[in-house]
Amino acid sequence: MASVVEYKGLRAGYHCGYCDSKEGKASCGMWAHSMTVQDYQDLIDRGWRRSGKYVYKPVMNQTCCPQYTIRCRPLQFQPSKSHKKVLKKMLKFLAKGEVPKGSCEDEPMDSTMDDAVVGDFALINKLDIQCDLKTLSDDVKESLESEGKNSKKEEPHELLQAQDSVGEKLGSGEPSHSVKVHTVPKPGKGADLSKPPCRKAKEIRKERKRLKRMQQNPAGELEGFQAQGHPPSLFPPKAKSNQPKSLEDLIFESLPENASHKLEVRLVPASFEDPEFKSSFSQSFSLYVKYQVAIHQDLPDECGKTEFTRFLCSSPLEAETPPNGPDCGYGSFHQQYWLDGKIIAVGVIDILPNCVSSVYLYYDPDYSFLSLGVYSALREIAFTRQLHEKTSQLSYYYMGFYIHSCPKMKYKGQYRPSDLLCPETYVWVPIEQCLPSLENSKYCRFNQDPEAVDEDRSTEPDRLQVFHKRAIMPYGVYKKQQKDPSEEAAVLQYASLVGQKCSERMLLFRN
């Protein structure tokens, strides 16, 4: 199935949930009837983002709070001291039932629905009704079949009709096959990879004693330990005591057999055709309402099943399971956190050819003391690393938008190393190089090469593919049938925003 989109154009002068400006926000958007994972990967690499089936791109040099796409590099990621505290807190809770005293100060501001969409539920609901053309899918199929195989050179992808969800257990000491969690990070500087890992004073004292024993006992370090009454088996861990634990070591540390709690993470395709998704829908929805009311002060009647389904369950992404892809396939998923048989958090994610992209996280406010926002982000990074083992090109973790001008949204920059997307040339620039410019100006071009341009800019708009009256045709043919001058302006604007590659692959629906 090809990507089929309806371009909705520019929308400016509406309320911003970040700075509370009454009419400072500006974005362009389109409704995606269907979308391949490769097309969406290419779109988010040009600054687009989806909420349900609505895909939007902030107008960066016009909007009041420029939103820069941010990605973390999980393969080089090292948890900071504050990250380790969150992981240890979870392990203590699971093992002994320990609940930290006092308020949880390190829980970050989670992605708001404003972050996930243009901040206008009514718009999305309206578009969902307008654009729900039941016959469109069949029409496109007919057109593609009649086109034959001369359409374009694209690798075939198998469609995943119904994926069996995979349930994996946390705390068993085994890396989870479907371990993911969604949300965004937490304040606190990330680890400085240019410096040696921090060491506790206790470890330094132990190291000094060990060296002293070695000097006193030329026979060797191991004998020195035995002289102190330690069995030889204790030596290897001691020798490694100065090596920092990996993220996986911290997450999957073994729990005692009589652990107080059991945490299980299940990766479930976001599809009502999936039996596990369907059977857990009611519990997941109830958790969403509880979260929105408690954390974001929404009214209960603003959190209906229709809104929940349209924003967090409906996805335009076509599930794919290519042989060289991850075992779970590509597409949209809900990562469910089950504690003692009850869902306490759900991370909504997209698994794409090059990344895991977080969409939203909602959790049980009763468990805020576990810093589930931070914990889930770390789990998502670990999940990306796990997927990378089989699918080498899948090596990034996309956290949505970084908004430097909004203090409550800057926490995403604490997961290092990370990059921001240049809004003009669409190249990735390390965040450290971007911050000085952002301190001086809300809107910045990060690419320092003044000669650099968008390499995938629209250069041949006539090659853009249009779906019109149940037929697929190049824009060069379509425009000869049109007399409305505003039509060309809208199509050219769409082409400039999606880039040449996507404009030739995706079908622009015009009626």
Side-chain angles (χ1 to χ4, degrees):
M1 187 68 178
S3 300
V4 182
V5 300
E6 278 187 72
Y7 184 60
K8 296 299 176 180
L10 172 68
R11 189 163 171 268
Y14 61 101
H15 176 256
C16 172
Y18 301 117
C19 67
D20 210 29
S21 165
K22 297 297 181 189
E23 45 190 37
K25 208 163 187 183
S27 67
C28 294
M30 57 188 175
W31 187 263
H33 293 277
S34 67
M35 185 165 285
T36 66
V37 290
Q38 186 59 60
D39 284 342
Y40 187 55
Q41 176 71 67
D42 289 344
L43 286 175
I44 62 174
D45 283 334
R46 293 182 64 83
W48 292 81
R49 181 159 165 78
R50 79 171 185 88
S51 175
K53 292 188 173 184
Y54 186 70
V55 188
Y56 65 101
K57 184 183 190 321
V59 182
M60 299 291 280
N61 57 358
Q62 292 183 32
T63 194
C64 53
C65 297
Q67 299 156 266
Y68 298 93
T69 302
I70 182 170
R71 73 178 187 186
C72 173
R73 285 177 259 150
L75 304 188
Q76 292 83 39
F77 175 80
Q78 288 290 340
S80 67
K81 187 176 179 181
S82 58
H83 294 152
K84 291 176 183 177
K85 281 184 179 179
V86 171
L87 296 175
K88 288 176 182 176
K89 181 166 57 176
M90 175 63 83
L91 288 171
K92 286 180 180 179
F93 173 72
L94 295 176
K96 304 175 184 177
E98 284 188 18
V99 176
K101 296 177 182 178
S103 61
C104 178
E105 297 178 358
D106 58 0
E107 183 69 27
M109 173 73 181
D110 293 312
S111 53
T112 64
M113 201 55 86
D114 253 0
D115 184 22
V117 78
V118 229
D120 191 336
F121 286 83
L123 171 71
I124 307 302
N125 291 336
K126 181 181 175 184
L127 288 177
D128 191 30
I129 296 166
Q130 287 180 347
C131 299
D132 185 19
L133 309 179
K134 293 180 181 177
T135 59
L136 182 61
S137 175
D138 292 333
D139 289 346
V140 175
K141 269 184 192 168
E142 274 182 38
S143 301
L144 286 173
E145 285 167 7
S146 65
E147 285 264 311
K149 297 171 186 173
N150 57 359
S151 219
K152 229 177 284 119
K153 42 185 180 179
E154 262 202 287
E155 294 181 12
H157 293 294
E158 297 175 9
L159 290 185
L160 179 62
Q161 297 300 332
Q163 292 171 313
D164 290 330
S165 59
V166 187
E168 294 293 339
K169 298 178 182 178
L170 278 176
S172 63
E174 295 292 328
S176 211
H177 195 63
S178 64
V179 176
K180 139 36 193 183
V181 120
H182 157 285
T183 246
V184 203
K186 123 195 206 159
K189 304 268 183 185
D192 186 347
L193 302 183
S194 65
K195 297 179 181 178
C198 294
R199 296 170 57 192
K200 293 181 179 178
K202 186 178 178 182
E203 290 180 352
I204 295 173
R205 289 197 300 271
K206 283 184 177 179
E207 178 71 6
R208 286 176 183 158
K209 286 182 180 179
R210 186 181 67 79
L211 291 172
K212 191 174 180 181
R213 288 194 202 105
M214 287 179 67
Q215 291 170 354
Q216 293 173 348
N217 185 1
E221 185 179 39
L222 182 55
E223 290 182 12
F225 270 94
Q226 291 172 323
Q228 299 293 325
H230 293 284
S233 60
L234 290 182
F235 171 63
K238 291 289 182 182
K240 294 181 180 178
S241 63
N242 294 327
Q243 295 298 321
K245 286 187 177 181
S246 70
L247 178 61
E248 288 76 12
D249 290 338
L250 293 164
I251 290 174
F252 300 111
E253 190 170 315
S254 297
L255 292 174
E257 290 184 10
N258 61 343
S260 298
H261 299 284
K262 178 183 176 184
L263 181 65
E264 184 181 355
V265 177
R266 302 177 189 174
L267 185 69
V268 182
S271 167
F272 286 99
E273 294 179 7
D274 182 84
E276 193 163 358
F277 180 84
K278 198 171 180 180
S279 66
S280 61
F281 177 83
S282 179
Q283 189 179 164
S284 183
F285 167 65
S286 297
L287 177 65
Y288 162 78
V289 175
K290 185 177 182 180
Y291 170 80
Q292 291 295 131
V293 171
I295 304 298
H296 296 300
Q297 287 78 52
D298 288 356
L299 297 174
D301 58 1
E302 295 175 333
C303 312
K305 281 188 179 179
T306 301
E307 287 74 22
F308 172 66
T309 301
R310 283 175 177 162
F311 280 93
L312 298 175
C313 302
S314 297
S315 169
L317 300 185
E318 298 287 341
E320 299 177 18
T321 50
N324 61 341
D327 293 336
C328 57
Y330 298 121
S332 298
F333 298 84
H334 279 200
Q335 189 107 34
Q336 301 174 340
Y337 286 73
W338 292 75
L339 180 71
D340 303 330
K342 181 181 79 169
I343 301 178
I344 64 163
V346 177
V348 184
I349 60 168
D350 294 327
I351 300 178
L352 304 174
N354 298 339
C355 73
V356 169
S357 174
S358 67
V359 179
Y360 200 65
L361 174 87
Y362 52 97
Y363 58 83
D364 190 333
D366 294 344
Y367 293 90
S368 291
F369 63 86
L370 289 174
S371 302
L372 291 170
V374 180
Y375 181 77
S376 66
L378 296 170
R379 289 301 302 263
E380 195 158 68
I381 290 171
F383 180 56
T384 306
R385 282 153 66 134
Q386 180 191 331
L387 295 179
H388 171 78
E389 290 179 8
K390 184 187 176 188
T391 310
S392 59
Q393 73 273 17
L394 203 164
S395 53
Y396 296 102
Y397 166 47
Y398 284 47
M399 297 179 281
F401 290 133
Y402 173 81
I403 307 171
H404 191 77
S405 56
C406 179
K408 68 183 180 184
M409 297 302 292
K410 289 169 71 173
Y411 65 87
K412 297 185 183 184
Q414 304 305 328
Y415 284 68
R416 308 284 180 93
S418 57
D419 310 300
L420 297 183
L421 187 68
C422 176
E424 295 181 12
T425 62
Y426 303 114
V427 297
W428 294 98
V429 180
I431 192 170
E432 294 85 356
Q433 296 178 26
C434 305
L435 296 180
S437 301
L438 289 171
E439 288 295 328
N440 297 323
S441 173
K442 284 184 179 180
Y443 174 76
C444 299
R445 170 192 166 112
F446 300 136
N447 192 328
Q448 297 301 307
D449 180 1
E451 303 297 321
V453 295
D454 170 13
E455 295 292 339
D456 189 40
R457 63 193 180 282
S458 176
T459 54
E460 299 179 84
D462 283 358
R463 292 173 61 88
L464 178 151
Q465 294 295 298
V466 175
F467 181 56
H468 178 60
K469 292 185 177 179
R470 304 183 70 171
I472 298 170
M473 64 190 78
Y475 177 64
V477 174
Y478 169 78
K479 70 179 180 181
K480 293 176 183 176
Q481 308 170 13
Q482 304 304 309
K483 297 177 182 178
D484 183 358
S486 65
E487 174 80 4
E488 182 173 22
V491 173
L492 293 180
Q493 184 183 61
Y494 158 83
S496 69
L497 295 173
V498 302
Q500 187 67 37
K501 283 188 300 186
C502 280
S503 72
E504 290 187 38
R505 286 198 308 251
M506 301 194 305
L507 304 180
L508 177 63
F509 179 78
R510 309 302 282 177
N511 56 19

